[in-house]
Amino acid sequence: MDKVCLVIGAGAGIGGTVGARFAAGGYHAVLGRRSDTEGLDRLVSDIRAAGGAATGRLLNAVEPGEIEALVDEVERDVGPIHALVYNIGAQIGDRSLPETSAKVFERCWRMATFGLFRAAQAVCPLMAARGSGTVLVTASTAAMRGNAGQHAHAAAMAGRRMLCQTLNAEFAPRGVHIAHIVIDGAVDAPDTLGKMLGPERFAALRSMKGADDGLLLPEHVAETYWHIAHQHRSVWTHELDLRAWTDQAWWNHATDTRI
Amino acid sequence: MDKVCLVIGAGAGIGGTVGARFAAGGYHAVLGRRSDTEGLDRLVSDIRAAGGAATGRLLNAVEPGEIEALVDEVERDVGPIHALVYNIGAQIGDRSLPETSAKVFERCWRMATFGLFRAAQAVCPLMAARGSGTVLVTASTAAMRGNAGQHAHAAAMAGRRMLCQTLNAEFAPRGVHIAHIVIDGAVDAPDTLGKMLGPERFAALRSMKGADDGLLLPEHVAETYWHIAHQHRSVWTHELDLRAWTDQAWWNHATDTRI
Amino acid sequence: MDKVCLVIGAGAGIGGTVGARFAAGGYHAVLGRRSDTEGLDRLVSDIRAAGGAATGRLLNAVEPGEIEALVDEVERDVGPIHALVYNIGAQIGDRSLPETSAKVFERCWRMATFGLFRAAQAVCPLMAARGSGTVLVTASTAAMRGNAGQHAHAAAMAGRRMLCQTLNAEFAPRGVHIAHIVIDGAVDAPDTLGKMLGPERFAALRSMKGADDGLLLPEHVAETYWHIAHQHRSVWTHELDLRAWTDQAWWNHATDTRI
Amino acid sequence: MDKVCLVIGAGAGIGGTVGARFAAGGYHAVLGRRSDTEGLDRLVSDIRAAGGAATGRLLNAVEPGEIEALVDEVERDVGPIHALVYNIGAQIGDRSLPETSAKVFERCWRMATFGLFRAAQAVCPLMAARGSGTVLVTASTAAMRGNAGQHAHAAAMAGRRMLCQTLNAEFAPRGVHIAHIVIDGAVDAPDTLGKMLGPERFAALRSMKGADDGLLLPEHVAETYWHIAHQHRSVWTHELDLRAWTDQAWWNHATDTRI
C-alpha cells in the first residue's frame, strides 16, 4: 500500500500545493476540502498528469465524525498516513467584538482548534503505534498575538498552537513529529486570500507586493513543509516562521516610534 | 447605585478572595459560581460581616445566556460593573490524548475561552460607553506553553490569552483595562486544587511547599488584582505573572541539563 | 540604620520618582546618576522637603568599581539595601548598522547589561544573606523584540532581560525578588526622552499623546514599582508590562493587514 | 571566483559539518576557528577529499579587527561571501553569580554577541549591495530563557537573538536572509560538548541518550542549515528550533506538576 500524505484543507494555495509536493516525492496525496469539486478535481488531475498518485475527497471538517471517517477510510483503502497536513484556517476578516457573533466565534474554534484535535486523535495513535509520522500544522500570525478585530481568529489559532505543543510533548518521544508552521504574511492563494479580498483587491495586492516574491508563493512554502517532514529524528523542528523577504516580522512595526 | 465587581468563578480561592478585597475597597461584590450554595453563602456573609456589600448567584457559565442574563441583571439591579473578574478555570488534570474525550475538550473551551468571550461581549461595550472599566482574567501556566496531558486545558487557556490580547487592542483605547494574570504555580485553594488533589494529597502539598508562603495565598493574590485594577490609565499592565518565591518560573527546569 | 532603596539611574523620570515614592514609604533613597549635580540636588531636596530621607551621589556606572564602591559605602554608612532599582537605559535613537559604531554597541552593553550584572553581584549576595530584598529592573520594548535601527539597544536590553531571568532562578528561592518591568511606550521624562527628542519635539509629543495620560507618567509608574516590591513572597511577579491606555502593545500594529 | 560560505566557529560539530555541507553544494567553505590547527586541517582535507573546495584559518574572534580582516581577505582572495555561518558559542557550564567573574561575563558577550555584531557589520552591507546573501546564526536554549547558573551565557545569547531580529528588520528587505537557529538540546560534538563534559561523561551521555538519534547529529543539523539558506525569498524563515525527538522542548518539564 502507498505511503499517504493526507491534507485537510486542500485549496489551490498551501494545502493543494503541499499535497502535490508530497505526491512528487512518492506519497499518495489524499486531498480533503469542503467544497468546489471542480477545483479539487483539477488538483488531483494535475498531480496525476505529473505522474503522481492522488485522491480527492469533499469533507466538512466541522461535522462530527467526518475527519475520523476519512482517516479510517484512507488507512484501510489507500495506505498508512505518514504525513498529516492540517491546513484549515479560520480567517473571517477583521470584526469588532460586537460584530463577532457567538456562532462565528464557535465556528472558528471548530475549524481551527477542534478539527485539529479530532484529526490528531484519529491519526497520532496510529503513527505512534508505527513509531513514525509527521503532523504539519499551518499557522498564522494570529497564533502569536491578538490584534483588534481578531477575537475569533486569534483565540482559535492560539488554541491550536498550544495544542501542537501538547501533542509534541506527548508524541515526539513516540516517534511522531509535530510541526507548527507560522505563515506570517499574505499567501498568493486565490482560494483563500483571493476570495477574502475579491479579485480586484487581490490583484492590486499582488501587484503592490510584487507577484514574483512579495507574497508567500505556495510552491516554495511546500518545499519547507517537505524539508520539515523529512528531517532526521535527531533534529526535529517544532516551530518556524515563514514570510516574504519584503515583509516585516509580526513583532516589528514599520512606523513604530517605540524604543 | 453601587460600583460593582462581578466575579465569575467565585470559589474559596482566588475568585472569592478577590471579590472580598474589592468589597473591602468599596465595591459591591457580585459572586457567581456553579454550585455549592452553602460555600457561596459563607463568602457573602463573611464580606457582609466585614462591613462590605456582596451578593451571591449560582451560575452555569457554559449554559447559553446565563452569563449575559447575570450581567443584565447586575447592571439593572445592583450597579454598573466597573470590574469583571473572570476566574473560571478548565483544569481537568493530566490526560493523554486518547483519554481526552471530544466532550471534555469542548467543555474546557466553553468554560475557559468561550465563557470569557461571552462575558466580554456583555460587559466591554458597557464599559467602553462609560469610558472606564477593568477586566481581570485569571490565567495559568498552560496559557503559556503546552505540556503532555494538557491538550484540552492548554488549548483553552491559550485561546483565552489571545482573546485577552485582542480585547486589549480593541478596548484599551476606549478606556477599558484588560489584564491577563498568569498564576504560575499551585494556589492554596481548597475549592479547586484541594478538590482536584483530594484532601490528603492537598495537605501533603501544603506541608511540603510550606503553608505560609509556598503556595500562592489568595489574600495576597487579591492585592495584586486590586493594584492592577486601580493603575492610572497612563500606566496599564496587560500581562504579569505570579508565583511563590520558592517555585521556579515555567521557563525553568530544576533538573535541566540543557544549555 | 535605615532601610535603603538604591536607585542607579536616577533622573527626573522613572528613577528619581521611584526613589521619592520609596522615601515616602519610609526608605532612605540613595539616588545615583551620572551627571547634573543641580538636578540631583533638586530631587534630594524635594524628597527631604516632603519629610523623607535621601542622599544623592554622582556615579559613572560604566567605570569599573564605581557601582561596587557605592554599594559598599551605602551598606556601611546609610543602611542595608532592601530595594535596588536599576534604571539605566541605553537608548541612543535609531541607527542603521553602518551608523552603529563598535564603541556605541559596547557602551550600550556596559550600561544596560554589564552594569546590572555588576550591581547584582554586589547586592544580591547581601540580600540573600539577609533572606530578603528586591531588585527592580526597568526594561523597554527593545528587550522583547529587535527592530530596525536597534542593533545596540535591543541586544543590550535583551541581554538584561535574560540576566534577570537567571538572577530570578538563582536568587528567588533565597528570598530575593527580581522583577523585570517592561516600559512599553514613551515616558513623560524630561531628562531622557526630553533630551533625546529636544524640547520642541518633546512638547509636540506630549501635546499629541495627551499630557494627562498619553505618556507614561512617572509618579504612576512608581506606584507599580512600589507594589511589586511589597508583594508577599507567596505571590511574586517576575515580569509585567506598562503602557498608556491609548498606546498599542508592542505586538500590535496600527496599520497591520496581516492575519 | 567562488561563491563562499564563511563559517566562524568551525569545530568538528555543527560549524565544520555545515561548512562541509555547503562545500558539497558547490560553495567554497572558509573555516575559521580559534585553535587546533590539526583539527582544522582535517576538516579542510576531508572536504577536499570529497571533491569540495575549502580553506582553513585560525581566528581569534574576540581580537579587534580579526573578523573584519578575514572577511576582507576572503572577499578579495576567495570570492563573495554568500553565506555566513556564525557558530561561536559562549558555553562555560553553570556558574552561580558569585562564581561568574566580570571577565567571564564580558568574554561571553564578546564571543556570542559582539562578535556577531562585528561580523554582520563586515558582511551584511556587502550582501545588501549584491542584493542577496544569508546569515545563519547558531543559537541555544539560553537565548530563549535564563536559568540558574547561566548569567553570562543567557545574557550573551539573548543579546545575540535580538541582534538577529534587528539585522533581519534592516537587511531582509535588502535581500539578506537572517536566520536564528535554536539548538535546543545536546549536540553530538566532540569539540564542544565533548570537551566541556570530558570523554567519560560525554560517552555516558551518548550512550544514555542513544548515539544514533538521541543527540543532535551535526550532519543532519547541516541539512536544515542548507535548506534555510536556499529558501526562495518569498518564504524566508527567521527562527526555528531543532532538538532530538526524545528531548523535551525547553518550555516543557518532565516532572512538572504545574497546571
Side-chain angles (χ1 to χ4, degrees):
Chain A
M1 284 173 80
D2 290 343
K3 190 161 66 165
V4 170
C5 170
L6 170 62
V7 182
I8 297 182
I14 290 176
T17 310
V18 169
R21 177 65 186 85
F22 277 68
Y27 287 72
H28 187 121
V30 179
L31 307 181
R33 61 191 283 176
R34 195 181 46 182
S35 60
D36 185 6
T37 311
E38 196 184 334
L40 181 58
D41 289 348
R42 199 161 45 236
L43 289 173
V44 167
S45 55
D46 283 355
I47 290 175
R48 290 180 181 161
T55 303
R57 264 288 300 266
L58 290 186
L59 166 81
N60 185 351
V62 303
E63 197 63 37
E66 287 224 8
I67 289 175
E68 295 80 354
L70 176 59
V71 167
D72 284 354
E73 181 195 313
V74 168
E75 288 268 334
R76 188 187 62 230
D77 298 345
V78 188
I81 299 168
H82 277 262
L84 168 68
V85 178
Y86 194 85
N87 191 53
I88 295 181
Q91 188 39 255
I92 51 164
D94 280 351
R95 301 185 188 196
S96 72
L97 184 65
E99 291 166 350
T100 307
S101 70
K103 199 174 154 184
V104 156
F105 192 87
E106 178 164 346
R107 187 172 175 80
C108 280
W109 171 79
R110 288 204 180 279
M111 292 194 296
T113 318
F114 194 50
L116 173 61
F117 169 75
R118 290 167 43 220
Q121 231 178 13
V123 168
C124 287
L126 301 174
M127 290 178 168
R130 292 192 281 260
S132 73
T134 305
V135 179
L136 300 158
V137 179
T138 304
S140 70
T141 314
M144 308 306 284
R145 57 101 185 90
N147 212 353
Q150 294 280 311
H151 304 279
H153 189 232
M157 296 306 277
R160 173 152 144 174
R161 182 175 182 236
M162 284 303 128
L163 176 57
C164 286
Q165 290 191 6
T166 308
L167 291 170
N168 179 61
E170 188 165 316
F171 285 96
R174 301 175 65 190
V176 184
H177 183 179
I178 314 283
H180 184 254
I181 305 173
V182 181
I183 306 294
D184 184 32
V187 178
D188 193 6
D191 277 6
T192 46
L193 189 61
K195 279 181 186 161
M196 202 171 81
L197 295 178
E200 278 181 41
R201 285 176 61 208
F202 185 51
L205 179 68
R206 293 183 84 231
S207 159
M208 188 260 287
K209 290 270 192 181
D212 287 345
D213 54 20
L215 302 169
L216 288 96
L217 299 183
E219 65 265 36
H220 299 300
V221 172
E223 290 301 324
T224 290
Y225 277 62
W226 175 264
H227 175 75
I228 296 298
H230 296 90
Q231 288 176 313
H232 187 264
R233 70 182 186 179
S234 75
V235 287
W236 277 354
T237 292
H238 175 66
E239 186 166 81
L240 75 165
D241 51 10
L242 288 174
R243 70 183 62 80
W245 64 302
T246 43
D247 262 353
Q248 286 196 297
W250 65 262
W251 56 82
N252 289 132
H253 306 221
T255 58
D256 200 350
T257 59
R258 198 158 333 195
I259 52 188
Chain B
M1 285 172 80
D2 291 344
K3 193 161 65 166
V4 170
C5 170
L6 171 60
V7 181
I8 298 182
I14 290 176
T17 310
V18 169
R21 177 64 186 83
F22 277 67
Y27 288 73
H28 187 123
V30 179
L31 307 180
R33 61 190 282 175
R34 196 180 46 183
S35 59
D36 185 5
T37 311
E38 197 184 334
L40 181 57
D41 289 348
R42 199 163 43 236
L43 289 173
V44 168
S45 55
D46 284 354
I47 291 174
R48 290 180 181 160
T55 302
R57 265 286 301 267
L58 290 186
L59 166 82
N60 185 350
V62 303
E63 196 62 37
E66 287 223 9
I67 290 176
E68 295 80 354
L70 176 59
V71 167
D72 285 353
E73 180 195 315
V74 168
E75 287 268 333
R76 189 186 62 230
D77 298 343
V78 188
I81 299 168
H82 277 262
L84 169 67
V85 178
Y86 194 85
N87 191 53
I88 295 182
Q91 188 39 257
I92 51 164
D94 280 351
R95 299 184 190 198
S96 72
L97 184 64
E99 290 165 349
T100 307
S101 71
K103 199 174 155 187
V104 157
F105 192 86
E106 178 164 346
R107 186 172 175 80
C108 280
W109 171 78
R110 289 205 178 277
M111 293 193 296
T113 318
F114 194 50
L116 173 61
F117 169 75
R118 290 167 44 221
Q121 231 179 12
V123 168
C124 287
L126 301 174
M127 289 178 169
R130 292 191 281 260
S132 74
T134 305
V135 179
L136 301 158
V137 179
T138 304
S140 69
T141 314
M144 309 306 284
R145 57 102 184 91
N147 213 353
Q150 293 281 309
H151 304 279
H153 189 232
M157 296 306 276
R160 173 153 146 174
R161 182 175 182 235
M162 285 302 128
L163 177 57
C164 286
Q165 291 192 3
T166 307
L167 291 170
N168 179 61
E170 189 165 315
F171 286 96
R174 301 176 66 192
V176 184
H177 184 180
I178 313 284
H180 184 256
I181 305 172
V182 181
I183 305 294
D184 184 33
V187 179
D188 192 6
D191 276 5
T192 46
L193 188 62
K195 280 181 186 161
M196 202 170 82
L197 295 179
E200 278 181 41
R201 284 176 62 208
F202 184 52
L205 178 69
R206 293 183 84 231
S207 159
M208 188 258 289
K209 291 268 191 181
D212 286 344
D213 55 20
L215 303 170
L216 287 98
L217 300 184
E219 65 266 36
H220 299 300
V221 172
E223 288 303 322
T224 289
Y225 277 63
W226 175 263
H227 176 75
I228 296 297
H230 296 91
Q231 288 177 314
H232 187 263
R233 69 182 187 178
S234 76
V235 289
W236 277 354
T237 293
H238 174 67
E239 188 166 83
L240 75 165
D241 51 10
L242 289 173
R243 69 183 63 78
W245 65 301
T246 42
D247 261 353
Q248 286 197 297
W250 64 262
W251 56 82
N252 289 131
H253 305 223
T255 58
D256 200 350
T257 59
R258 198 161 333 197
I259 51 186
Chain C
M1 283 171 81
D2 291 343
K3 191 161 66 166
V4 170
C5 170
L6 170 62
V7 182
I8 297 181
I14 289 176
T17 311
V18 168
R21 177 64 185 86
F22 277 67
Y27 288 72
H28 187 121
V30 179
L31 307 180
R33 61 191 283 176
R34 195 181 45 183
S35 58
D36 185 6
T37 311
E38 198 185 332
L40 181 58
D41 288 348
R42 200 162 43 238
L43 289 173
V44 168
S45 55
D46 284 355
I47 290 174
R48 289 179 182 163
T55 302
R57 265 287 301 266
L58 291 186
L59 167 81
N60 185 351
V62 304
E63 196 62 39
E66 287 222 8
I67 290 175
E68 295 79 355
L70 176 58
V71 168
D72 285 352
E73 181 195 313
V74 168
E75 288 267 333
R76 189 187 61 229
D77 298 343
V78 189
I81 300 168
H82 277 262
L84 168 67
V85 178
Y86 195 85
N87 190 54
I88 295 181
Q91 188 39 254
I92 51 164
D94 279 352
R95 300 185 189 197
S96 72
L97 184 64
E99 290 164 351
T100 307
S101 70
K103 199 175 155 185
V104 157
F105 192 87
E106 177 164 345
R107 186 172 174 78
C108 280
W109 171 78
R110 287 203 181 279
M111 292 193 297
T113 318
F114 194 50
L116 174 60
F117 169 75
R118 289 167 43 221
Q121 230 178 13
V123 169
C124 288
L126 301 174
M127 290 178 168
R130 292 191 282 260
S132 74
T134 305
V135 179
L136 300 158
V137 179
T138 304
S140 70
T141 314
M144 309 305 285
R145 58 102 185 89
N147 213 354
Q150 293 281 310
H151 305 280
H153 189 230
M157 296 306 277
R160 175 151 142 176
R161 183 175 181 236
M162 284 303 128
L163 176 57
C164 286
Q165 291 192 4
T166 307
L167 291 170
N168 179 61
E170 188 164 316
F171 285 95
R174 301 176 65 191
V176 184
H177 184 179
I178 314 284
H180 184 254
I181 304 174
V182 180
I183 305 294
D184 185 33
V187 178
D188 193 8
D191 276 6
T192 47
L193 189 61
K195 280 182 185 159
M196 203 171 80
L197 296 178
E200 279 181 41
R201 286 176 61 207
F202 184 51
L205 179 69
R206 293 184 83 231
S207 159
M208 187 261 286
K209 291 270 191 180
D212 287 345
D213 54 19
L215 302 170
L216 288 96
L217 300 184
E219 65 266 37
H220 299 299
V221 172
E223 289 302 324
T224 290
Y225 277 64
W226 176 263
H227 175 76
I228 296 297
H230 297 90
Q231 289 177 312
H232 187 263
R233 69 182 186 179
S234 75
V235 288
W236 277 354
T237 293
H238 175 66
E239 187 167 81
L240 75 165
D241 50 11
L242 288 173
R243 68 183 63 79
W245 65 302
T246 43
D247 262 353
Q248 287 196 296
W250 65 262
W251 55 82
N252 288 132
H253 306 222
T255 58
D256 201 349
T257 59
R258 200 160 330 197
I259 52 187
Chain D
M1 284 171 79
D2 291 343
K3 192 162 64 165
V4 169
C5 170
L6 171 60
V7 182
I8 298 181
I14 290 177
T17 310
V18 168
R21 177 65 186 84
F22 276 68
Y27 288 72
H28 187 122
V30 178
L31 307 181
R33 61 191 283 176
R34 194 180 49 183
S35 59
D36 184 8
T37 311
E38 196 186 334
L40 181 57
D41 289 348
R42 199 161 45 234
L43 288 174
V44 168
S45 55
D46 284 354
I47 290 175
R48 290 180 181 160
T55 303
R57 265 286 300 267
L58 291 187
L59 167 80
N60 185 350
V62 303
E63 196 63 37
E66 286 223 8
I67 289 176
E68 296 80 355
L70 175 59
V71 168
D72 285 353
E73 181 196 313
V74 167
E75 288 269 333
R76 188 185 63 229
D77 298 343
V78 188
I81 299 167
H82 277 262
L84 169 67
V85 178
Y86 194 84
N87 190 54
I88 296 181
Q91 188 40 257
I92 51 163
D94 280 349
R95 299 185 190 196
S96 72
L97 184 64
E99 291 165 349
T100 308
S101 70
K103 198 174 155 186
V104 157
F105 192 86
E106 177 163 346
R107 186 173 175 79
C108 280
W109 170 79
R110 288 203 179 279
M111 292 194 296
T113 319
F114 194 50
L116 173 61
F117 169 75
R118 290 167 44 220
Q121 233 180 12
V123 168
C124 287
L126 301 174
M127 290 177 169
R130 293 190 283 258
S132 74
T134 305
V135 178
L136 301 158
V137 179
T138 305
S140 69
T141 314
M144 309 305 284
R145 58 101 185 91
N147 212 353
Q150 294 281 311
H151 304 278
H153 189 232
M157 296 307 276
R160 174 151 144 175
R161 182 175 181 235
M162 285 302 129
L163 176 57
C164 286
Q165 292 192 4
T166 307
L167 291 170
N168 179 61
E170 189 164 315
F171 285 95
R174 301 176 67 191
V176 184
H177 184 178
I178 314 284
H180 185 254
I181 305 173
V182 181
I183 306 294
D184 185 32
V187 178
D188 192 7
D191 276 7
T192 47
L193 189 61
K195 280 181 185 162
M196 203 171 80
L197 296 178
E200 278 181 40
R201 285 176 61 208
F202 184 52
L205 179 68
R206 293 183 83 232
S207 159
M208 188 259 288
K209 290 270 190 180
D212 286 344
D213 54 20
L215 302 170
L216 287 97
L217 300 183
E219 65 265 36
H220 298 299
V221 172
E223 289 303 323
T224 289
Y225 277 63
W226 176 262
H227 175 76
I228 295 297
H230 296 90
Q231 288 177 313
H232 187 262
R233 69 183 185 178
S234 76
V235 288
W236 278 355
T237 292
H238 175 65
E239 187 166 83
L240 74 164
D241 50 10
L242 289 172
R243 69 184 62 77
W245 66 301
T246 41
D247 261 353
Q248 287 197 296
W250 65 262
W251 56 82
N252 289 131
H253 307 222
T255 57
D256 201 351
T257 58
R258 200 161 331 198
I259 50 186

